[in-house]
Amino acid sequence: MVLTLLQPGTEDPSLSAAMVNDSSRRSASDTALSAGPVLANGGGSALGDAAQGASGQIGQALAAQEAAERRAEERRREAAERARAAASSGGSGSSGNSGGAPAAGPVGGAVQVAGDGIQAALKMGWQAIGGDEFLGSTLGSNWSPYNGAGHDGQGRRTSDAISVENGNLVIRGDSQGNTGGMAWGTSQKYGKWEMRAQFPKGDKQYHPVLLLWPSEVSWPEGGEIDFAETTSASDDVSFFLHYGSSNSQKDAKKQLDITQWHNYAVEWTPDAIVGYVDGVEWFRSEDPNTFPPGPMHATIQLDYFPDGGSPEPSEMRVAWMRQYK
């Protein structure tokens, strides 16, 4: 089967129009996601903790570098453990890591990486088939960054807004509405996806979103699963399930300190679509009429919703994206 990767900002005008004209799907979130109080940044980050602990001894910059190296090594060990488990149990799979570490095999019994929190995948024994740990210095080849008009034709999506720094993907939005987004090249119908993300305090006009986008059936008929969507100024996060030609929606909202690191996951089976935060279920739909009709692929975006003048620069960070059977 030949899969056509649908993504906003591509040269295909029909696909670009489908994404940039999706203001109707986001309008509900514009009013639902309100600005919250300023909160401390980075408390759940091993990198932030290490930098703070080393302050005054070897300097914050050096501490950050060393912490990133330790974190990368921990991830490599975890990936190696998964690979050994797969080999001993007869499992198989392929690596999708930009850093070259294996990401296949059963993970139910794997030891969680320190600082990576409670993961739905480890809790429920999902079997990994690929993903990206963002261990390198550049974006992996399985990602396709967007270049073109921004959300609803406002601002601009550019690959210049995307970087890989200290073991994290970083997408930045500037004061002019220049921001970024990218699509993962491996699609599947049914499966599970989990991402570890942090949304530092920023401007309400920027909307971080982790989602699944249709790969074969055009939007809106192809559906859309936003399993983490918020604004950079919010104190909550929302789940939006879009379905049908009229872009109908089911949604849920959860109070959450989004400035801290959290694990956001979605499970899509023939029986249900379920959302998780830090291994705890918070959204479920068992109505088959709400399910996507075809394969989906993972997408990471920082969307610009102009509302009230020039935005303050904002960013989102993702430590890893993992895809499961």
Side-chain angles (χ1 to χ4, degrees):
M1 175 184 296
V2 177
L3 300 182
T4 302
L5 181 65
L6 304 184
Q7 63 180 43
T10 62
E11 289 79 2
D12 187 331
S14 64
L15 302 185
S16 179
M19 189 61 176
V20 300
N21 293 328
D22 65 352
S23 57
S24 61
R25 78 165 178 89
R26 304 293 182 119
S27 59
S29 66
D30 286 346
T31 56
L33 302 175
S34 58
V38 176
L39 300 172
N41 184 2
S45 167
L47 176 57
D49 292 344
Q52 182 178 6
S55 177
Q57 299 178 29
I58 59 174
Q60 187 173 18
L62 181 57
Q65 179 181 356
E66 291 179 348
E69 291 173 354
R70 287 196 299 270
R71 184 161 169 255
E73 181 59 30
E74 287 171 343
R75 289 186 185 171
R76 292 189 184 96
R77 286 199 298 267
E78 181 198 26
E81 288 172 1
R82 292 201 301 266
R84 285 194 294 270
S88 63
S89 64
S92 61
S94 60
S95 171
N97 289 349
S98 60
V107 298
V111 176
Q112 295 191 43
V113 175
D116 272 8
I118 298 173
Q119 302 164 45
L122 295 180
K123 220 176 145 180
M124 290 173 278
W126 296 347
Q127 187 172 17
I129 60 173
D132 197 336
E133 303 293 309
F134 300 115
L135 298 180
S137 59
T138 59
L139 198 62
S141 60
N142 206 31
W143 291 107
S144 297
Y146 310 151
N147 285 288
H151 166 76
D152 202 24
Q154 303 293 321
R156 180 174 68 109
R157 289 181 172 123
T158 170
S159 57
D160 294 338
I162 301 171
S163 60
V164 179
E165 305 170 11
N166 298 322
N168 298 313
L169 166 75
V170 182
I171 302 181
R172 293 185 170 92
D174 65 14
S175 61
Q176 304 300 315
N178 296 308
T179 183
M182 56 196 220
W184 182 246
T186 304
S187 306
Q188 65 186 78
K189 184 173 182 179
Y190 307 127
K192 298 99 174 177
W193 293 257
E194 190 162 23
M195 302 189 200
R196 181 166 178 80
Q198 180 192 45
F199 310 131
K201 194 71 176 178
D203 197 292
K204 69 176 183 178
Q205 298 175 89
Y206 278 114
H207 289 217
V209 56
L210 311 176
L211 70 152
L212 302 182
W213 188 254
S215 301
E216 294 182 357
V217 182
S218 299
W219 188 92
E221 290 85 355
E224 176 183 347
I225 304 174
D226 305 309
F227 58 97
E229 180 170 355
T230 186
T231 81
S232 293
S234 292
D235 57 2
D236 54 42
V237 65
S238 292
F239 189 113
F240 292 99
L241 174 59
H242 302 258
Y243 61 95
S245 59
S246 299
N247 188 29
S248 300
Q249 300 181 30
K250 294 186 69 173
D251 62 85
K253 182 186 291 188
K254 179 180 180 66
Q255 292 298 122
L256 194 70
D257 182 358
I258 63 171
T259 69
Q260 305 300 307
W261 286 99
H262 294 283
N263 298 328
Y264 302 94
V266 59
E267 179 180 19
W268 173 26
T269 70
D271 301 314
I273 292 176
V274 185
Y276 302 89
V277 174
D278 297 328
V280 178
E281 179 181 325
W282 69 297
F283 175 90
R284 174 180 289 267
S285 176
E286 297 179 344
D287 180 358
N289 294 319
T290 67
F291 299 170
M296 309 283 278
H297 59 270
T299 300
I300 303 173
Q301 297 171 192
L302 183 62
D303 289 341
Y304 175 48
F305 286 71
D307 178 22
S310 179
E312 293 293 326
S314 304
E315 67 181 50
M316 65 182 295
R317 303 168 188 160
V318 179
W320 39 257
M321 185 283 294
R322 296 168 185 165
Q323 187 171 353
Y324 302 86
K325 287 185 178 179

